[in-house]
Amino acid sequence: MNTLVALCAIGAEKILGNEIKHLGYKLAGNAPGRVYFTGDDDSLYRSNLCLRTADRVFLQMAKYQAEDFDQLFDGVYAIDWQDYFKKDSKITVDKVRCYKSKLNSEHAIQGIVQKAIYKKLGDKWKMHSLPETGAENTVRVYIDENTALILLDLSGLPLHKRGYRTDGGVAPLRETVAAVMLQEMMWRRKTPLHDPFCGSGTIAIEAALYAYNVAPGFGRRFALENLSIYSRTAAEKIRQKEAELIRTDVEVRITGSDIDPAAVERSRKNAEYACVTAGRALQSIGSDAKVIRPDFVQADFAELCAPYETGLLLCNPPYGERLGDEKEAEELYKRMSGLLTEFKGWEFGIITSHKKFQECFGKYATLLKDLKAGNLDTTLYLYKNEKRR
């Protein structure tokens, strides 16, 4: 049995935990931005392929007390690294995080851990130096209250990089955050969904992948594939099983719009790529079924009216931080209040980092959900129907 650690936006731990349980794995605790779980050998690949709200997945290599550098070195050296790395691997300690610990020099910790790994591999393989001509593998270290956690990266590129977004535009929303938003709103595939600021189409595309039960990782590779423990045969079986779970027999009404024609074209291209990738997964199991693309149109949000009596309007309007300025954002939020009239009967989910959003929008949310992805502190404002509360 393996212990794994999945990273997510701070505030999304419960959503990610529910996803992990849905995959059939057992939760083993959490910390801000981290969820621990246990799983069989298939979980190493399957969690990367299937988790929608995780940013990375790591394999826990060791957990032990480390109050000085000797203890840190010995604990890392004790790990059987030779069972995981290939002889031409390039190994990097990419990040170190310390919290209330005697060891607090991140640079020094990084050097000691890397030295211990290379010493162990050199001793086991009878090599004075490693060629480092192969793929790069990364290790991460957390030291919390003198307890060292040594993690091996199984993902490589962050998992929000699904592979379908050829162009993200100026200020793209992370795919994993869009997936969190859908889960926080408890969106059901039969409910119409519209994004009036589609940008690069992320929310609509993530909704489509979820609605058709398409694993988000079909269009990319993972760092696990560079490790000695990787089994291509096992991975292909997992991909086949997940492809068989794709549903194309469901009614889905997902749309997006944007005032910028370039954003609409970008969204269409990204959605096309995502759906083609899903189609290839279906072809791999002999199916010629298709996943329907979300529909995107050019329109100012002020021109919109609800196409159905009920639905979900979910969006990521400009914050005034990376796109436009703060005053422009406030004026935009005031204009957005018209959506409450035009989309009466609909639920709203709006994510922004602007602290005056509710004041400008003119209506206070049913629920607020703080999410921190990267260096950006955002809040998801949920406007839910009374019947569903």
Side-chain angles (χ1 to χ4, degrees), residues 308-350:
Y308 306 100
E309 287 187 8
T310 60
L312 171 62
L313 192 145
L314 192 62
C315 63
N316 172 42
Y319 297 169
E321 290 194 14
R322 291 178 294 173
L323 195 61
D325 61 36
E326 195 168 307
K327 289 296 181 185
E328 287 177 341
E330 290 176 6
E331 287 301 316
L332 175 70
Y333 299 151
K334 289 176 183 177
R335 290 180 59 218
M336 282 176 61
S337 62
L339 292 169
L340 294 168
T341 301
E342 295 300 329
F343 285 78
K344 188 177 180 180
W346 281 49
E347 296 187 334
F348 287 66
I350 303 169

Side-chain angles (χ1 to χ4, degrees), residues 158-169:
L159 293 177
H160 75 264
K161 296 187 177 183
R162 314 288 203 211
Y164 64 70
R165 194 157 68 183
T166 56
D167 181 4

